[in-house]
Amino acid sequence: AQSVAQPEDQVNVAEGNPLTVKCTYSVSGNPYLFWYVQYPNRGLQFLLKYITGDNLVKGSYGFEAEFNKSQTSFHLKKPSALVSDSALYFCAVILRTDSWGKLQFGAGTQVVVTP
Amino acid sequence: DGGITQSPKYLFRKEGQNVTLSCEQNLNHDAMYWYRQDPGQGLRLIYYSQIVNDFQKGDIAEGYSVSREKKESFPLTVTSAQKNPTAFYLCASSMERGNTEAFFGQGTRLTVV
């Protein structure tokens, strides 16, 4: 069965410092990988995705993520965090053979950026 | 203004009542989904639909029902059989292909009183 793990419930970082949110996955095939962000009492907003090609993916709001097949990871990064980046971040996976596009989500990581 | 709209934003249900959550999209997306969000558990798939008049159970379908009579609409009914319905419900849509991202509505918070 496919699964996604986000090992940290919360990440605390000072504004201006680098931000990393970790994600590992377990699938039997080649996955499509996604990152979403959620602000309080709102829906999810798409940040970026890995489908194929370059392992470094750039997305919205200055975020990027690196696909590492050998470590089955897809960590989200931002070189300089902003207070407005404080939110709940979700990693998600779809098996390439799954044409329905059903997303399997991690439990989420709360990011807190302090001024 | 394209997007996906959920209503109402807040909903209160008495024990034993059925309630219906609305989800409408004008993105011309083929697929629509309902997810349930509980603190610390991420999102779990309730039902999904690829085309009109067809839908499939997700991981936690018990106590829920859906319909897909129009491409734009995918309402979710939370029945009295759902023993723990208090949660945040999210509707999403996407093109059928698996490599496209899903677009989410703003959610409905359902509380049993």
Side-chain angles (χ1 to χ4, degrees):
Chain A
Q2 62 186 56
S3 66
V4 178
Q6 294 181 241
E8 301 158 316
D9 292 336
Q10 182 164 316
V11 169
N12 298 298
V13 63
E15 188 174 32
N17 283 0
L19 169 63
T20 298
V21 186
K22 296 179 180 178
C23 172
T24 59
Y25 63 91
S26 174
V27 298
S28 56
N30 293 316
Y32 295 146
L33 294 158
F34 300 80
W35 275 101
Y36 287 85
V37 61
Q38 185 181 35
Y39 297 96
N41 295 311
R42 305 295 295 273
L44 274 65
Q45 296 178 29
F46 168 75
L47 282 178
L48 50 79
K49 64 183 178 184
Y50 172 80
I51 303 301
T52 188
D54 193 348
N55 290 341
L56 183 63
V57 178
K58 294 188 182 295
S60 305
Y61 312 119
F63 284 95
E64 59 186 30
E66 185 167 11
F67 172 65
N68 188 318
K69 188 172 183 178
S70 63
Q71 297 185 7
T72 63
S73 68
F74 189 56
H75 300 331
L76 181 70
K77 299 181 180 183
K78 186 171 184 179
S80 178
L82 301 172
V83 172
S84 58
D85 292 328
S86 298
L88 186 58
Y89 290 80
F90 289 99
C91 181
V93 63
I94 301 174
L95 275 180
R96 291 188 174 193
T97 55
D98 188 343
S99 63
W100 281 96
K102 302 189 303 292
L103 289 159
Q104 182 78 32
F105 284 90
T109 298
Q110 184 70 48
V111 169
V112 178
V113 182
T114 53
Chain B
D1 188 18
I4 182 165
T5 303
Q6 290 186 243
S7 62
K9 188 172 182 178
Y10 298 97
L11 187 57
F12 297 90
R13 191 193 93 169
K14 293 183 179 179
E15 296 275 358
Q17 278 185 336
N18 293 354
V19 290
T20 297
L21 284 60
S22 172
C23 179
E24 303 277 334
Q25 55 99 0
N26 60 5
L27 300 167
N28 199 33
H29 283 169
D30 302 303
M32 297 187 74
Y33 315 84
W34 274 104
Y35 290 91
R36 170 178 171 144
Q37 184 177 13
D38 297 282
Q41 295 194 44
L43 278 71
R44 292 179 290 169
L45 183 64
I46 305 173
Y47 268 98
Y48 59 97
S49 169
Q50 186 181 22
I51 57 174
V52 174
N53 293 323
D54 186 57
F55 47 83
Q56 304 294 330
K57 293 182 178 180
D59 300 319
I60 56 165
E62 185 175 353
Y64 300 98
S65 66
V66 294
S67 63
R68 188 86 186 273
E69 298 178 0
K70 299 186 300 182
K71 186 176 184 178
E72 301 79 15
S73 178
F74 192 42
L76 173 73
T77 296
V78 184
T79 76
S80 57
Q82 171 49 238
K83 297 306 179 188
N84 185 23
T86 295
F88 192 52
Y89 291 86
L90 287 161
C91 181
S93 68
S94 72
M95 297 301 290
E96 180 183 339
R97 300 184 305 278
N99 64 355
T100 59
E101 60 271 24
F103 289 78
F104 283 81
Q106 296 302 297
T108 293
R109 186 165 297 281
L110 174 62
T111 303
V112 174
V113 297

